[in-house]
Structures are given as C-alpha cells and as structure tokens.
Amino acid sequence: MSVREIVQANEQSVLLLRGAVGSGTGFIVGDQLLVTNSHVVAVAALNPATGEFKDLRAYSPAASANRRGPYRVSLLYEDPDWDLAVLRILDRVDFRPVAMARNYQFQRGEAVTIIGNPGLFNGVETLETAVSTGILSTTHPLQGREHYQLGAAVNGGNSGGPVFGEAGQVIGVVVSKSLSEDEISFCIPVREAIRATAEARSISARSQQLMWKEHESRVPKAIANLAVPSGSVVTVTNPPWAYVFIASTADDLIEASEYAYAGNTIGMQQLIASGRVMMVDSGTKVQVIDSNMFCAVKILNGLYAGRTGLVSIQCLK
C-alpha cells in the first residue's frame, strides 16, 4: 500500500491522548479498545475503584467535528515492563480497528509509515495526525527486550502510536527516540501489542482491581520524576509568541492560560494587574522553591509544568 492509502485507511483510528501532563498517541485495536504506551498514562490519575482516568481523554483529530471527542477512557491492562497499556473507551465510538500484522517477521529495509501526534516547541503545541516515513533498520535490545530500530523521525507525543509496514498493517508501537542522534527511534514489536490485547480481554476482575491500585500508587513517583529538585536554578525558555505565567493557585493559572489561548489580552492584563498572576519573560532565571506547588513554565530541560502542580518558582534578581 502507498503511504497515502495507509493514512486514508487508518487516520481516524489513531487517537490523541491528552491529560493534565502532556499527551501521546494510541490506536484502535478492537471494539472500544486502544493500545498505547504505559509511560503515556503513567502520570494520569485514575479512580482505583473503576479504573477510569480522572483527566485523561481520547480524541480522533482526523474525524469529523461531531466524532472528534473528547472520549472518556479507563485502564483495562498495563504492562510497564514492555511499556504497553490497553485502554477501554467508555463513550461509544465507531472507529475501525487497525489491522495487526500477526506472525510478523522483521524485514530489514522495509518501508514504514508512522501516524501520531508529536509535540512541537517542546510540547507547547501538538501536530495532530502527523505522518512520517522511514525504514526498519535493525533490532536492538532495550532493557533486555528486543525492539525494532527505525530510521524515522519521531518526537514526544508519537509515543504509543502505530508503525505500519508496507502491507498497511501495524508492525510495531512507537516507544522512544534517541536524544543525541537524528532519526534513530524504536518501536515495540507488534507481537507484544497483540499479546497485551489478548491478556486485556481475559483479565479477571480481581487482577484488574489490583492493577488499578498499583497504577495509582505509581503516579506520585512518576510525577516526581518530572519535577525539578527544590533549589535548582533554571532558565525560562519560551517561543516569542508564547506566554509563561506563574500563579499562586491552579484556578488563577487556568484562567490566565485560557485568556492567552483565546487571545483575550484585556482579561489577561487585568488578571496580571490584580497581582494574582505574573508573566515571565523568556531568558529569566528562576529558582525552584517548592517542587510540589503550582506554576506554568517552560524551563531549560524541557519540563512543561502546565496545569500539573509540579513546581513553584521565584524570579531571581
């Protein structure tokens, strides 16, 4: 199949997963089921009694306006060792499952097509249903598990997305990229996604409840891994058109962000004048004073705290 044919057949079934902390990609594998990476949902809190995520939602950017979502999702199965998760879509959808390449054998040099939702400007924006192409290059063990190495460009936000082979079937799940080399990325072999989906369909209620509790217990540590240690001095970096705010409460920060997103400069200026919100210029050096408080900054190492309550900062004179 051509790249265009692969995209036309599957784009609506490739979903954007967006929560309070970042975003990722998933794809429909069955009735109301989608596969993604475990690390995409690692910082997403859920209800340990039902498995429903509190703020993570699924969208189909390529679908018509009335079918885009948001859709509520719950955790059906998780395998952190293989970095895979299977989610159930709680709202009714009619997207066609992608075709999975069962019994697939690695073919060096095979052309691949990747559909996903990579971040732009270190996650400030998202390129929805973006397409990239490349080749299967080699196999390589990551943490002792065989992965396929791709000669293809992927970025944060592509995680959990499908890698299609020449036949138009999924042959892997995007999982990571090299931070030091260009166009070296990795995907999980499709056999593991097929296995995870099968285990998700047969998991017992008891095992599922234990899994939900285990997931919820890991969320604080996952969030802490994103935080910058107290006392760190960092530099605020943001594109010239973006606004970076510090606020004392979550509500103030959300209000300021919504004013900025809507282009409501009057509302934003009034909020700043009230002293509840401060706007930070690019290049400002700041010190982290409490890694459990709330702010919205883009800092040098790529952390975007957004609405997540990860860090609070003060400007250095």
Side-chain angles (χ1 to χ4, degrees):
M1 295 178 67
S2 69
V3 172
R4 179 176 294 182
E5 289 171 333
I6 292 172
V7 172
Q8 289 178 339
N10 296 283
E11 60 182 351
Q12 293 189 23
S13 300
V14 178
L15 305 186
L16 167 65
L17 295 171
R18 175 168 287 155
V21 186
S23 62
T25 301
F27 55 99
I28 302 290
V29 295
D31 185 31
Q32 302 295 117
L33 300 183
L34 68 88
V35 163
T36 187
N37 287 144
S38 175
H39 77 256
V40 169
V41 302
V43 294
L46 52 72
N47 183 333
T50 65
E52 180 177 351
F53 287 103
K54 296 177 181 178
D55 52 33
L56 186 72
R57 296 291 183 268
Y59 304 79
S60 176
S64 57
N66 64 331
R67 297 171 64 238
R68 284 175 58 94
Y71 299 108
R72 296 171 301 127
V73 289
S74 65
L75 181 63
L76 185 60
Y77 175 84
E78 189 171 24
D79 183 349
D81 291 335
W82 266 106
D83 201 352
L84 287 170
V86 181
L87 311 188
R88 183 184 300 281
I89 304 174
L90 301 177
D91 303 299
R92 189 64 192 169
V93 297
D94 59 359
F95 303 119
R96 184 180 63 85
V98 301
M100 308 285 271
R102 300 182 182 278
N103 303 315
Y104 179 76
Q105 298 295 316
F106 176 85
Q107 297 291 325
R108 194 186 315 274
E110 180 172 1
V112 296
T113 300
I114 300 166
I115 306 175
N117 304 284
L120 186 64
F121 304 120
N122 290 321
V124 174
E125 293 189 0
T126 299
L127 297 175
E128 297 178 348
T129 322
V131 179
S132 59
T133 59
I135 61 168
L136 277 183
S137 178
T138 188
T139 61
H140 184 77
L142 296 179
Q143 297 182 333
R145 295 175 175 81
E146 181 190 61
H147 286 66
Y148 299 159
Q149 186 255 308
L150 309 171
V154 304
N155 289 288
N158 275 118
S159 291
V163 179
F164 294 93
E166 294 173 357
Q169 299 177 325
V170 173
I171 62 173
V173 182
V174 175
V175 68
S176 64
K177 61 170 288 188
S178 171
L179 297 178
S180 54
E181 290 82 23
D182 294 331
E183 296 196 4
I184 293 183
S185 50
F186 298 91
C187 71
I188 302 164
V190 67
R191 65 175 181 270
E192 298 303 328
I194 293 172
R195 173 195 57 79
T197 303
E199 292 185 11
R201 294 181 188 277
S202 61
I203 190 170
S204 68
R206 175 61 177 164
S207 296
Q208 199 168 56
Q209 288 175 344
L210 291 173
M211 179 193 63
W212 292 337
K213 291 180 180 178
E214 289 175 0
H215 175 93
E216 190 66 3
S217 70
R218 290 193 298 265
V219 169
K221 182 178 180 180
I223 291 178
N225 288 339
L226 295 177
V228 178
S230 297
S232 300
V233 176
V234 296
T235 302
V236 173
T237 61
N238 58 301
W241 44 263
Y243 297 105
V244 176
F245 300 108
I246 301 174
S248 57
T249 70
D251 288 342
D252 288 343
L253 182 60
I254 291 171
E255 185 176 351
S257 300
E258 289 175 346
Y259 281 150
Y261 184 78
N264 186 345
T265 56
I266 294 177
M268 192 165 58
Q269 290 169 357
Q270 290 175 341
L271 195 59
I272 292 171
S274 72
R276 292 156 53 199
V277 169
M278 180 173 69
M279 190 162 67
V280 182
D281 294 328
S282 180
T284 302
K285 286 190 179 298
V286 297
Q287 184 172 28
V288 178
I289 56 175
D290 188 339
S291 60
N292 295 314
M293 295 297 290
F294 204 102
C295 76
V297 292
K298 171 87 58 184
I299 61 178
L300 194 61
N301 70 350
L303 170 67
Y304 180 58
R307 303 179 180 183
T308 64
L310 296 181
V311 296
S312 124
I313 62 177
Q314 65 180 358
C315 292
L316 301 181
K317 300 296 185 183

